[in-house]
Amino acid sequence: MMTRHSNLVILLLFLRTIITANAKSVLLELSPDTYYNNLMPGRTSLLYFSADKPSSNIFLEELQRAVEPLQDYGIFVAKVNCFKEDIPKYCSAESAYLFRGAKLLREFPTDALFDVNAIVANVLFVLLYNEVKYITSVLELNTIEDDAKGKKNVVFIYIRAIGIPEHRSVMEAAYVYGSKYQFVLTTETTVLESVSSGESDIVSGKLFFSHCKVAKCRRTLLDQPITIVNIHRFLKLMEAALVTDISGDIENVTSLHLQLGLPMVFILSQQETYDADRITAEHLAWQLMGKAGLAILLREKSNIPLNINVALKSADENVPVKYMLLEETQQIVDLFVATKNEHREEAEDNLHSDQDVQDDEVAEAVYRDRKRVLPLQLVPSLTEDSFVTSVNSTSRSVVLFYASWEAVSLTFLRSFLDMAVKYKDIMDVFLGRVNCGDWPYLCKEQSIINIPAAKIYQNGKEPLLYNGMMGTEELFKFIMLSKVDCPFKLLTMAEAENYLNWKHYEHWLPYQNLSVLGICTPYMKEAVDTFMDAGKNLRGFAIMGIYCGENASDLASKYSTTLPAIIFARRNKIYGISVQNVAASEIVHLIKREILGVFPEVRVENLPSLFSHKKPLLILFSDGNLNHNNEKSISNLEKGNYLEPYGTCWLNLKNTPVGNGILQHYFGFVPHLPVLVLIHFDTMGKVFAFPSDQYLTEVNILYWLEMIKAGEEQPVYSLSSEDWIAPLPDYDFLTMMDATLPDFAAQKIRIHLKSSSRSKRVDDLSERTEAEETEAKQTTGKSLRGTVPKFIEKEKRFKHHSEL
C-alpha cells in the first residue's frame, strides 16, 4: 500500500481544475550516460527512450502535458535521447518504461499512451495494482462484495477502454481513497449488463457504490459523468447519514447535501408516529441515494401547518421551500425522476443540435445496429509499422480507411466486414483496415483526405480508389472487376470476335453482362489514347477491351458502324456506336449508360448512375415482376429512341419497399399498381402520373408525354426547390484534428486490455378499521399517510366520500 497524504492530493486535484499554473513543467532530457543516476531508490520514474523520429512528436507533446499531473503523485518524468548513443536494452523499441528505483515495473508501447489521460491512467493503474482489482466476470464482482460485507464498501466501475479520461479520473480517485474503499474495475460490457440496465455499449463509463459495510452490498449509481470532482462529491454523499433528525426552521437548515448542490427532502412527523415515519424515511432515502438528502422534522418542534407533511428545499438559496401534502413516497421519487428526464432531454437536445454527423439517418442506422458483433478478426487493423509490410506481402490488397467515431465510416466498415465473411474464399485478396483516428499520418501518406475510403493496392500499379456505393455487393464487384486490366488489348480479329461472343470470358458474366470493345485502326493515335483514358477511368466499374488492328474496319462494317467505334455485346445482340471526335469522359458516360441496359430495374445501387444522366426519370412502379405487355411497350419505345430525353426504368416494390413511401409522398396514398410516373428534377420539379383509366400502350405513353410538354397535364406533386445535398460536407479529418482542442486525442480509443424493522407500528391503532390495518401493513415504508394528523386525514376522507 502506498503512503499518501489525502488532503493534500485532493487540494491539488481541485486547484488543477480551477487554475492554470503560470510556470509550465518542463520535460527533462537525459543522456544515455546519466539516465540511470536519476533512478533513485524509492522514487517512481517514467522514462521515454526516443530516437527523435517524426512519428514520436505527437507522443512527446502528450508526455509534456503529463509531466505536471504525474509530479503531483511524486512520479519523475523524463526523455532519454537514444540517437547519440544506442542503448540496446531500451532503445530498440519506441517505448516508455516505468521504474521503481532501478527496478523495471512495466513497459508501455507509445500507442497505448495516446494522450495525457492515457499516460496518467496507465501509470497509476500499474502503481495501484493491488488496490484496484480488474475483473472480467460478474462472478468475480460478487465474490469481492461477499468478502467485503461488514468490512469495507466497494466502488465498482465500468469504463469503455483503458486510458480514456474516465479511466484517469477513477485511478486518481483510487490514489486518494484506495485505502478506504475497495475499487473494482472492468471494461467488459457483459459485467455491466449483469448489474445495470441501459445501453452499455454507448456509455463511456459507469460507477457504482456498493454499501457492503452496513448493508447487503446495495448498489448506488453515480448519475453523472465520471470525473474526479464528481467522484469525490459522490463518495462524500455515500458517507453521509441515511436520515438526519432536525429541529427548527427549514429555511435555515444546512446540510452536506445542500452544500454539494443537492436538494433536501423533509418528512414532517409526530412524536406518536415517529418510529413508523423513520422506517418510511429510510425506505425513501435508499431510493433517493445520490439524488437528495432525507431528514425528519417533528411537528412539535416547528410551526408548519398541519395540512403539510413533506417539504422540499433546493440547494439554490433563491428558490423558496416547497411544501406539499403527499400520500405515497413514490410521489416524491417521481419528482426527481421527472427532473432527471428533463435534464437528460435538454442535454440530448443540446448534443443533437450540434451533432457533427454527415447524415442523421446514417447515424440512426448505426445506432440501431449497435449491438451487432462485428467479425473484426477477418480484417486486421494496420498501423504505421505493419501497413507497408502487409500490403507488399500480397499481389493485391484492399484497405479500408475509416474513423471509429464517425457514423458513415462505421456503416462502410460493416459492409466491408460483411464482404469479408461472404466472399473470403472467392476474392483472393488481402483485406485490412486503418483507423485514421489512430494513424493520421499514415492516412495522410496514402492521400486519404475524406473518410471513409477504400483503396486497392496491386504490385506495379497505381493504387485504385473506390468511390462507389458503400454496399457489400458493390464493393465486391468493384474488387473483382479491378483484377482485369482495363482497358485490355486484343491482338487479333478472332480474339475480338470471341470476346464479343463471350467465348473464354464467361467468368466475367457475374460482374458485367455487357461486353464493351473499342475498335480503331493502328493509325488512329488520338482514338487509341482516348480509349486508353476511358478504360483507366472505368477500371473497377467495367471491363473494356481494345482492338486496333488492320481488320478493325471489317469488324466495324459487320456491325454497321464507322471507325473509331464502340461495339456492345449483350446476350444475343451485338451493336456498334461510332465515337469519332468523342472525348474520353463522354465515352465513359456512354458505357456506363449502356451497362445499365434498356429499361433497367432501379435499385439503390444503380440509382446514382441514373441520376448522373441528368434526365427526367420515367419510372414504372410495379408490385412484383413486370407485366409482359407493359414491359414490351416501354422497351419498344426505348429501342426506337422515342424515350431518349428520359431516364427510363422500373421499380419493383417487393425488392425496393421504399417505393411505397415515395408513392405515398407523391399521391398521398399508394395508387393502384402498376403506375407510370415522370419526375422532373429541374427548377420546376414537377411529378406527373400516367392516367389510371388508360392502358400502357406505346401510343398512349407517347401522347401523354407530348401533353406534358405542351403544358396540358397537371402535376400530382411538386418537388422541393432545395438542393439535394448532405446536411454537412464530407469529413476532412486531418483539418478537423488540427482545429480541435488538444483533448481530441481521446477520440483515439484503443482497447488493450425485506427488513424486520418494518414490522414496527404505532401503539395507538384503536381508530383503524381492519381494512385500514391490512393496508398499513402493506404500505409500511411507502405510505406517508401516518405523517398527517388524524383529523386532517378524516376530513380528507369525509370530503372524498361526499364527492362520491
Side-chain angles (χ1 to χ4, degrees):
M1 182 72 67
M2 297 182 62
T3 301
R4 298 184 287 271
H5 303 287
S6 298
N7 294 333
L8 177 60
V9 174
I10 293 173
L11 178 61
L12 288 171
L13 292 174
F14 274 92
L15 288 175
R16 196 162 68 239
T17 62
I18 299 173
I19 63 173
T20 301
N22 293 326
K24 183 179 180 181
S25 298
V26 177
L27 177 63
L28 296 178
E29 295 193 17
L30 306 177
S31 68
D33 298 328
T34 62
Y35 88 91
Y36 193 81
N37 297 331
N38 284 272
L39 300 178
M40 300 179 182
R43 183 169 76 174
T44 303
S45 304
L46 180 66
L47 302 183
Y48 171 54
F49 292 81
S50 171
D52 280 356
K53 294 181 180 179
S55 60
S56 66
N57 291 337
I58 295 178
F59 173 73
L60 284 172
E61 292 175 4
E62 297 299 324
L63 187 62
Q64 170 70 64
R65 296 176 60 203
V67 171
E68 184 178 347
L70 288 178
Q71 284 179 347
D72 290 341
Y73 299 107
I75 300 169
F76 174 73
V77 184
K79 168 191 171 185
V80 180
N81 295 316
C82 291
F83 63 94
K84 295 180 180 178
E85 181 179 337
D86 186 35
I87 309 174
K89 187 175 182 180
Y90 297 123
C91 285
S92 57
E94 287 274 316
S95 297
Y97 297 86
L98 187 66
F99 295 89
R100 173 71 57 76
K103 180 182 178 181
L104 176 63
L105 297 180
R106 181 68 59 87
E107 175 185 354
F108 296 109
T110 54
D111 59 353
L113 308 180
F114 44 80
D115 68 356
V116 62
N117 294 310
I119 294 171
V120 175
N122 277 283
V123 169
L124 293 181
F125 201 7
V126 173
L127 299 181
L128 300 176
Y129 178 78
N130 294 322
E131 298 166 27
V132 180
K133 296 184 178 179
Y134 183 84
I135 64 171
T136 58
S137 70
V138 72
L139 179 62
E140 294 177 86
L141 175 61
N142 293 335
T143 301
I144 292 172
E145 288 181 334
D146 288 341
D147 293 341
K149 286 179 181 177
K151 304 174 186 176
K152 182 183 287 190
N153 292 321
V154 176
V155 180
F156 166 62
I157 311 102
Y158 161 82
I159 55 173
R160 186 172 56 190
I162 298 298
I164 63 176
E166 290 79 4
H167 184 213
R168 173 183 175 180
S169 297
V170 168
M171 298 314 302
E172 289 184 317
Y175 191 92
V176 178
Y177 297 103
S179 59
K180 189 173 185 179
Y181 309 113
Q182 177 60 66
F183 281 77
V184 181
L185 182 71
T186 188
T187 56
E188 299 293 333
T189 57
T190 54
V191 180
L192 176 61
E193 290 166 355
S194 299
V195 301
S196 171
S197 59
E199 305 297 341
S200 60
D201 55 343
I202 61 173
V203 298
S204 56
K206 281 191 176 184
L207 184 146
F208 299 84
F209 187 93
S210 292
H211 304 265
C212 298
K213 194 173 182 179
V214 296
K216 294 182 178 180
C217 291
R218 185 167 185 165
R219 300 187 186 109
T220 301
L221 171 67
L222 169 61
D223 199 16
Q224 289 180 302
I226 297 179
T227 65
I228 184 60
V229 174
N230 286 342
I231 295 175
H232 172 74
R233 175 176 173 272
F234 182 67
L235 294 179
K236 288 295 184 184
L237 290 171
M238 295 301 100
E239 290 294 327
L242 190 62
V243 178
T244 56
D245 292 275
I246 66 163
S247 61
D249 187 4
I250 292 179
E251 304 282 353
N252 298 325
V253 170
T254 184
S255 69
L256 175 65
H257 290 83
L258 292 172
Q259 293 170 7
L260 294 177
L262 292 183
M264 282 292 293
V265 176
F266 298 88
I267 303 294
L268 279 299
S269 180
Q270 309 159 85
Q271 196 65 54
E272 61 179 341
T273 62
Y274 177 82
D275 291 340
D277 294 340
R278 181 84 185 186
I279 297 171
T280 298
E282 290 177 357
H283 171 81
L284 179 60
W286 280 113
Q287 293 179 280
L288 298 181
M289 182 71 70
K291 303 179 182 67
L294 240 297
I296 290 183
L297 175 62
L298 289 175
R299 292 182 181 279
E300 291 84 353
K301 298 181 180 181
S302 70
N303 57 357
I304 294 177
L306 296 177
N307 61 343
I308 298 297
N309 65 341
V310 174
L312 179 63
K313 182 176 183 180
S314 171
D316 187 350
E317 296 180 355
N318 298 321
V319 177
V321 177
K322 185 177 182 180
Y323 296 94
M324 298 166 283
L325 176 61
L326 304 177
E327 292 188 359
E328 305 291 337
T329 57
Q330 186 59 44
Q331 292 175 278
I332 299 176
V333 175
D334 290 343
L335 291 174
F336 292 94
V337 172
T339 303
K340 176 183 174 182
N341 289 338
E342 289 175 4
H343 290 320
R344 181 187 293 115
E345 290 173 3
E346 181 180 353
E348 289 178 353
D349 290 342
N350 293 336
L351 172 65
H352 294 311
S353 65
D354 192 33
Q355 192 175 21
D356 195 15
V357 295
Q358 182 182 5
D359 189 327
D360 289 341
E361 293 181 357
V362 175
E364 180 187 0
V366 172
Y367 178 80
R368 287 197 307 267
D369 200 32
R370 64 194 180 281
K371 289 189 178 294
R372 176 182 169 192
V373 179
L374 301 177
L376 295 173
Q377 69 279 1
L378 295 179
V379 182
S381 179
L382 305 181
T383 68
E384 289 179 346
D385 296 328
S386 63
F387 180 85
V388 175
T389 302
S390 300
V391 169
N392 292 339
S393 62
T394 59
S395 59
R396 189 183 309 272
S397 303
V398 183
V399 180
L400 172 66
F401 298 87
Y402 70 104
S404 58
W405 43 266
E406 194 260 325
V408 179
S409 286
L410 294 178
T411 302
F412 199 11
L413 176 61
R414 282 162 168 76
S415 298
F416 201 82
L417 294 169
D418 287 343
M419 180 188 68
V421 172
K422 189 173 182 180
Y423 299 112
K424 62 180 179 180
D425 298 327
I426 301 176
M427 289 186 293
D428 189 29
V429 296
F430 169 78
L431 298 178
R433 55 190 169 92
V434 175
N435 186 348
C436 292
D438 287 340
W439 307 105
Y441 289 104
L442 174 58
C443 294
K444 183 177 182 180
E445 288 175 357
Q446 299 303 315
S447 302
I448 302 297
I449 304 257
N450 295 325
I451 52 173
K455 261 192 172 184
I456 298 179
Y457 296 85
Q458 297 183 81
N459 292 340
K461 295 183 179 179
E462 286 293 322
L464 179 61
L465 179 67
Y466 175 68
N467 56 7
M469 296 285 288
M470 297 181 189
T472 299
E473 301 301 326
E474 293 72 37
L475 180 58
F476 168 69
K477 179 180 175 181
F478 182 86
I479 293 173
M480 299 306 289
L481 288 178
S482 68
K483 293 182 178 182
V484 182
D485 290 335
C486 189
F488 66 95
K489 296 181 179 180
L490 299 168
L491 302 179
T492 65
M493 180 84 163
E495 288 181 356
E497 291 276 19
N498 288 336
Y499 169 66
L500 292 174
N501 290 290
W502 291 100
K503 293 181 179 179
H504 313 303
Y505 301 99
E506 296 88 349
H507 54 283
W508 292 346
L509 276 171
Y511 316 114
Q512 180 175 312
N513 58 3
L514 177 72
S515 291
V516 181
L517 178 65
I519 57 174
C520 61
T521 65
Y523 311 106
M524 297 179 174
K525 187 177 184 307
E526 184 176 349
V528 174
D529 293 340
T530 301
F531 286 152
M532 293 297 295
D533 290 341
K536 290 178 181 178
N537 288 325
L538 288 169
R539 183 181 163 207
F541 292 100
I543 300 171
M544 178 183 178
I546 296 179
Y547 173 63
C548 294
E550 298 291 345
N551 298 323
S553 56
D554 296 335
L555 199 59
S557 299
K558 182 176 181 179
Y559 298 111
S560 304
T561 188
T562 57
L563 296 176
I566 300 287
I567 308 296
F568 297 102
R570 187 191 306 277
R571 296 177 183 174
N572 296 323
K573 179 182 179 181
I574 302 178
Y575 54 99
I577 299 175
S578 178
V579 289
Q580 188 173 7
N581 298 324
V582 176
S585 59
E586 295 180 28
I587 290 178
V588 170
H589 182 77
L590 171 66
I591 292 173
K592 287 185 175 181
R593 186 183 66 184
E594 291 296 322
I595 288 175
L596 282 175
V598 177
F599 196 38
E601 178 185 356
V602 59
R603 294 177 179 269
V604 174
E605 55 267 24
N606 64 11
L607 185 59
S609 297
L610 289 166
F611 270 123
S612 67
H613 302 318
K614 298 181 180 180
K615 295 181 179 181
L617 281 186
L618 187 63
I619 306 179
L620 179 65
F621 290 85
S622 176
D623 186 19
N625 293 328
L626 283 176
N627 176 281
H628 175 71
N629 292 330
N630 294 340
E631 181 181 11
K632 183 178 179 181
S633 297
I634 297 177
S635 296
N636 287 340
L637 291 174
E638 185 73 35
K639 294 173 183 176
N641 292 327
Y642 295 105
L643 302 180
E644 178 63 26
Y646 312 102
T648 311
C649 56
W650 69 285
L651 191 147
N652 186 342
L653 295 183
K654 290 185 177 179
N655 295 335
T656 313
V658 71
N660 288 291
I662 295 173
L663 293 176
Q664 180 77 32
H665 201 69
Y666 288 166
F667 293 88
F669 59 92
V670 178
H672 179 72
L673 300 177
V675 58
L676 185 63
V677 175
L678 179 65
I679 308 172
H680 285 275
F681 299 107
D682 54 15
T683 55
M684 301 300 292
K686 303 297 184 183
V687 178
F688 299 90
F690 185 82
S692 58
D693 57 349
Q694 295 184 21
Y695 290 106
L696 283 170
T697 64
E698 297 173 35
V699 173
N700 288 343
I701 293 173
L702 287 178
Y703 179 76
W704 172 63
L705 292 174
E706 289 299 323
M707 293 295 287
I708 293 174
K709 290 180 182 179
E712 299 297 328
E713 284 285 331
Q714 293 299 318
V716 296
Y717 185 77
S718 296
L719 300 176
S720 171
S721 60
E722 298 179 1
D723 291 338
W724 289 17
I725 59 176
L728 292 175
D730 287 342
Y731 284 94
D732 184 344
F733 72 93
L734 292 177
T735 302
M736 289 173 61
M737 292 183 72
D738 291 339
T740 50
L741 296 174
D743 285 341
F744 183 78
Q747 305 255 17
K748 309 180 301 176
I749 296 173
R750 299 181 62 82
I751 301 178
H752 295 287
L753 312 157
K754 296 177 181 171
S755 175
S756 60
S757 63
R758 294 186 182 182
S759 62
K760 296 180 181 179
R761 299 288 184 269
V762 294
D763 296 330
D764 187 7
L765 300 174
S766 58
E767 295 188 10
R768 293 190 180 185
T769 64
E770 183 178 348
E772 288 174 330
E773 179 68 20
T774 302
E775 181 182 1
K777 290 180 180 179
Q778 293 173 346
T779 59
T780 299
K782 298 181 181 179
S783 175
L784 293 168
R785 294 174 187 173
T787 62
V788 183
K790 294 181 179 60
F791 69 88
I792 296 291
E793 183 72 16
K794 287 181 179 179
E795 180 182 347
K796 184 176 179 181
R797 287 202 298 268
F798 178 78
K799 180 179 180 181
H800 177 69
H801 290 172
S802 66
E803 290 171 350
L804 289 176

